[in-house]
Amino acid sequence: MKSLVIWGCGGHGREVLHLCEQIGIEVMGFLDERPEYKGQIIDDIPVLGDLPDISSLQEKVRIVCAGVGSPRLKKRLVEKTKKSGFQFAETLVHPSVFMSKRNRLGVGNVICEGTILTTNVVIENFVIINRSVNISHDDRIEDYVTIAPGVQIAGNVTIQEGAYIGIGSSIREKTTIGPWSVIGGGSFVKEDVPEQTLYAGVPAKFKKNLL
Ligand SMILES: CC(=O)SCCNC(=O)CCNC(=O)[C@H](O)C(C)(C)COP(=O)(O)OP(=O)(O)OC[C@H]1O[C@@H](n2cnc3c(N)ncnc32)[C@H](O)[C@@H]1OP(=O)(O)O
């Protein structure tokens, strides 16, 4: 596999670096749009700057866009990376992840330590599944979704594009979380969540529109 460059030198980007170290993939550096970070060494690797700063590396590296947790920022970075002609990294899976051969994974996902995906699960593209998440049979996780640590998802759940599932939440079977919605940490979702809304609490209730 080619060397990787990770978008974002914040906490999640550094956790993705740690994941790469554990699976033995070389990381050449971080990308970050904030100019004040360019040239810094963070967790032993350089912040290389923005995409134009690494144009000479286009044939040598692949880019990890799921180094930032925000689904909207992730989508913007994916579009920018695609436009620049760089190639995306394959999905990165920690060796401790338990997964059936009947699951389907797209490109550019990051799946962290201790996560379980049982059977007939579909993970589309540029999804982050953080540590110790349980994903059950027939779940579908669409593009750009971010799932925080410790989330429990029952069977036949669909999480639509760009949704963010907060830390330690649980999602009841046969429910759908609408596109670009947010579930507050520690919630129990027992009914469908419409698009671009914040639901939170036990049981999770409508809190506000995110339009
Ligand atoms: C390795 C890592 O660190 S990964 C990162 C893990 N972190 C997370 O998963 C973060 C989860 N974040 C949350 O739960 C946050 O509270 C958010 C994102 C939902 C807050 O979003 P905001 O837009 O700031 O919401 P805001 O604070 O305005 O709250 C709106 C309402 O929802 C309520 N609310 C917000 N979060 C929660 C929650 N988790 N549970 C219950 N109610 C909540 C607020 O009390 C408020 O209620 P009110 O209108 O009755 O007063």
Side-chain angles (χ1 to χ4, degrees):
M1 190 187 257
K2 288 186 180 173
S3 293
L4 302 184
V5 174
I6 300 169
W7 263 118
C9 63
H12 182 65
R14 289 184 291 112
E15 287 187 341
V16 174
L17 168 64
H18 180 56
L19 167 54
C20 292
E21 287 167 350
Q22 289 179 71
I23 51 183
I25 299 173
E26 188 199 0
V27 178
M28 203 172 273
F30 293 109
L31 284 172
D32 205 293
E33 291 176 324
R34 296 169 293 183
E36 65 273 22
Y37 284 94
K38 187 177 167 185
Q40 287 191 30
I41 302 292
I42 295 184
D43 286 1
D44 310 315
I45 61 167
V47 182
L48 301 168
D50 204 338
L51 281 172
D53 297 307
I54 61 162
S55 54
S56 62
L57 298 177
Q58 196 163 118
E59 302 307 318
K60 297 195 180 105
V61 299
R62 289 178 185 241
I63 310 287
V64 179
C65 296
V68 299
S70 155
R72 284 193 193 282
L73 177 56
K74 217 186 321 173
K75 182 175 185 192
R76 185 168 68 70
L77 296 175
V78 165
E79 286 167 354
K80 175 171 166 169
T81 302
K82 194 180 260 175
K83 214 167 157 189
S84 73
F86 276 89
Q87 285 190 301
F88 297 117
E90 293 300 313
T91 287
L92 301 172
V93 181
H94 191 274
S96 65
V97 171
F98 175 86
M99 188 153 42
S100 147
K101 64 182 180 188
R102 297 183 188 87
N103 296 341
R104 281 198 288 126
L105 301 184
V107 297
N109 304 301
V110 170
I111 307 182
C112 302
E113 295 98 302
T115 279
I116 299 172
L117 300 93
T118 63
T119 196
N120 292 295
V121 170
V122 176
I123 308 289
E124 293 191 337
N125 308 297
F126 310 109
V127 168
I128 296 169
I129 305 176
N130 215 310
R131 296 179 305 283
S132 303
V133 172
N134 251 307
I135 298 192
S136 306
H137 63 89
D138 306 298
D139 288 343
R140 179 179 187 85
I141 316 291
E142 296 186 358
D143 292 349
Y144 309 116
V145 166
T146 293
I147 300 176
V151 169
Q152 307 288 323
I153 304 178
N156 295 104
V157 166
T158 299
I159 304 193
Q160 293 184 312
E161 181 177 313
Y164 183 96
I165 312 299
I167 190 163
S169 310
S170 301
I171 319 279
R172 183 181 176 170
E173 67 276 11
K174 299 180 185 163
T175 51
T176 296
I177 310 293
W180 306 100
S181 287
V182 174
I183 304 302
S187 302
F188 176 64
V189 177
K190 69 178 183 56
E191 60 196 6
D192 291 351
V193 169
E195 66 179 308
Q196 300 201 66
T197 52
L198 169 61
Y199 269 58
V202 179
K205 299 264 189 239
F206 171 82
K207 294 292 179 184
K208 61 182 180 184
N209 283 311
L210 300 174
L211 293 168

